[in-house]
Amino acid sequence: MGGGNRHESGTPLPKLAAGPVGQQIHSIYKARLGQFSGNGEYSSQNLQAAMYDGRASGEEHVKLQVYSPPDRSRPTFEEATSHEFKDTHVGASFGPSWSTHWIKLEIKVPQELRKKEHLELHWDADNEGLIWTEDGEPVQGLSGGGERIEWVLPDSFRDGKPHTFYIEMACNGMFGNAIGNSIQPPDPNRYFQLKVADIVAVNLDARALFVDFWIIGDAAREFPDNSWEEHRALQVCNGIMDTFIKGHGTQDSILQCREVARKYIGNVDSSKVYESEKESSVYAIGHCHIDTCWLWPWAETKRKIARSWSNQCDLMDRYPEHRFTCSQAQQYKWLETLYPKLFDRVRSKIREGTFQPIGGSWVEHDTNLPGGESLVRQFLYGQRYFESRFGERCKTFWLPDTFGYSSQLPQLCRLAGMGRFFTQKLSWNNINIFPHTTFNWVALDGSQVLCHMAPDDTYTASAHFGDVKRTISQHKSLDQDDTGLLVFGKGDGGGGPTFEMLEKLRRCRGMSDTTGLLPRVKMGDSVEDYFGRLEKKAANGTEFVTWYGELYLELHRGTYTTQANNKWNNRHSEIMLHDIEYLATMATIKDNSYKYPKREIDDIWEDVLLCQFHDCLPGSCIEMCYRDSDELYAKVFKAGSQLLENALSVLGVAANTSSRDPYTAINTLPWPRAEITKIPDRQNEYAVVRGGPGVVNVEALSSTSKSTASIKEVEKGIFHLSNNQYKIKVENGSISSLLDILEDRELIPNGQKANQLVIFDDKPLNFQAWDVEVYHLRTREELRPSGKSKIVEQGPHRVSLVTEHKISEKSWIKTTISLAASIENQPSYIEMSSEVEWRETMKFLKVEFPVDITNTEASYETQYGIVRRPTHYNTSWDMAKFEVCCHKWADLSEAGYGVSILNDSKYGFATAGNMMRLSLLRAPKAPDAHADMGRHRVRYAILPHAGPLDHRTIRTARNFNHPFHLIGSSSQQHFPPPPSPSTSPSTPALLSSIRLTGSPALVLDAIKRGEDDPDVSRGDLPARPDGRRTVIVRV
């Protein structure tokens, strides 16, 4: 019918299906993948059952003995192995926390394992360890807890004879000794059980198939559901499982499974996978971030370095493509000093180009809190170390984990020879998302560095499929460049890349070349290679976006305040070092026989720089770290005091033996100054110290001096303090009125109070020592006096009023408000000094200063400059800066008037509207359960000023932090008779010989000798060939 052609019955249609075929249920087949390689209920039937070809354990094959050093000491290999060892066994427990146990292993490979392809020692006591050869060479670290528990046995161990080596067991995990949450205080009595000590024959084909399946399975899980690549990955994985099951898990079936995998990822069994010429977009670099102290002390860090870096040297021998980068000159120096054999091994890898020093700084330091000269010295000491040991300086500043980045870093990086910067910490912002990945970062002076932030938002990537994918999918600068750095390796507690990570990356590359869709990853390049390509693009016209000023981290704002004593030590050591270098430099000019104490100064600087590590100085370490830093600072101040005394002696300024003799003062700041100073050891006696720089006059003040200060109680509990500049009204310890007499201007808004102590509830979402959240401001509570205010000084040179506030049953604060007589042409300020007994829990103590000033921005001192921040909450970016970092002062000014708040060793500040607020003390309970508990002394001051912010605030704040050196002389003749012109200049003339002219806002910040002067150089780098002696000044 219908006239159509009729099919001839003799030509049958092809048969396409033997029976009904249903569509795969995608979710079920994807969920099935977990059965193949996991340790669950199917592990006896899946790939796990084929991973090992044999195992030997017990005393016959692995004989164990132990030496346990007393008092949690950490002896050297030579010391430890000289002692008697006692028998021990699997199942034994070792401890307590932070103790060390040296295990002597004598292993004998049984006959049935000697011809197996690959033998390993598997050792797991859930703690860290370091394997040593019998002759004392460290060869590999162990992490414990199922990670990095294997050591490849040398082929020489297959001879059937016993072989001896040692494991140095550290009784701590990778992240210290906390139980559960690692950032809680450590458990002092943690013990570790030895679970595994076996000789294992590994089936390398099964291990390789495990990684094949892992990565292809990730493609099935993470590629888009509507992509053919995702569907094919799922089919390949199920095909591998079917092949394994049909072959009953035999070795032949494993090899067949690998052939199935190759259809999707290609041949990935060697570094040749990276040899294709196809363009890559992801550049992977191995890294091992080791916190120089954090949840463990410095002593453990030194061992973490050896464990981690020996691992990487071993991996470089096995994986030719592996490139590993690591920063922090301090850690290299520790390795050089404590592990010279391993240091030589590292240095040989550096020469080969596989182990790559980076960073250029002494440690990965905090950049908010250290002074400007400290930032300079981080680079100076870091770069000189790298150049002296490895022949070149670093080109990239590497700082992935620091809590915000000062606006002056690009300038300092450039001056240190680094035009590149790598970080990722801003990905931790908890309010706003930082908008760039690759950009030009611009400093206050216009200096620029090219910055790249890891798009994967981590410096400890596990080299998963997802890490490679996110390096492009999360990249925020694809308009300018479509490449990213993938920084992978176990970190914070050390460890670095593992062999599994390197195997995974091979498969990711093979997948990109064979199947596609996944960004192509490349191994074998350096960080410098990566930045070099970016710079070439910039040179060829690519305009990378710009970011001006600080890189403010919207998190960890509590670190400006936590561990107040540690911050005091930092600032005062910086000031001491400034004075040592200045006076020692002048002493070398005065007396050729005096040798500039370069070694001693270097030692002090290295200790101070070490304490500026980005967990130590910010206050986020465990308690034992601060016991260590307290001891180190005590050594610093003792050594520094001796150096000051030596230099002053050469300069002819000797300490007196009689307190009744006149005094000499030294002004080590670069401008003249005049202050009323209390004479030591004399009750209520004052002098005017005037002049400088250098030697200044000390004039005793009489009761009839022209300029005076006065105080009186005008009503019960109400006091008036005054000098020629100010009239102050104090009620209940707070300032209710502050009148500038000369300007006839009241500074305290009606009904408000300055120097008002306030306390806040302080419970952040996470990270107690690190964080303070904006909602803490809702819990403000004013402190009330617990008694009457008392006059303690009545003038005429200085008046003081003390008031005590009760904080709680355990805590109190006594605050003294002082006003000195004003001195002609010198700014006058109102000083507050407090003694605090602080025993609180999760509270935040601050002091407030409401001022009758209006501006949408406040100014804060930063290193070598001023940073302005909003006083309003217009946007979430503005509100995020509810707590910021300042150095010696913060200021709120209008065009014609302003108020500065000066401080001694405080760094946290906030200005909201016209309310200025200085942060004093916090009370977090983790990771240090006793952070800031105890007695504190606090100093701060109010400095009003007519006109805008200018040099007066800068200089007065330095004066406030930088007291005169008041030195008693043993006779009326302060200095020896001036020498003849042919010998050396007099000390007063010499100390004032370096002067800075021009703008009064300029600061001469450092005076020191040249590092490579012939009479100064320590020989690490060549001395100046011209033989000249130089003086370095920094403005």
Side-chain angles (χ1 to χ4, degrees), residues 871-893:
T871 61
H872 54 79
Y873 295 162
N874 282 1
T875 70
S876 59
W877 291 89
D878 300 324
M879 188 186 70
K881 295 180 180 178
F882 63 84
E883 180 86 2
V884 298
C885 182
C886 74
H887 279 229
K888 300 177 185 68
W889 57 264
D891 182 87
L892 183 62
S893 289

Side-chain angles (χ1 to χ4, degrees), residues 733-734 753-760 780 783 813 815 832 834 844-850 901-903 906 908-910 915-921 938-942:
S734 298
K753 296 169 289 183
N755 195 44
Q756 174 63 58
L757 293 164
V758 289
I759 196 163
F760 300 84
R780 176 183 179 275
L783 295 185
I813 178 170
T815 301
M832 276 64 68
S834 300
F844 201 154
L845 180 66
K846 305 186 184 188
V847 60
E848 294 180 340
F849 308 92
I901 305 299
L902 318 181
N903 75 80
K906 296 299 173 186
F909 208 91
M915 178 65 74
M916 306 177 77
R917 192 180 289 121
L918 176 66
S919 298
L920 302 181
L921 292 168
V938 180
R939 289 177 66 237
Y940 51 92
I942 307 172

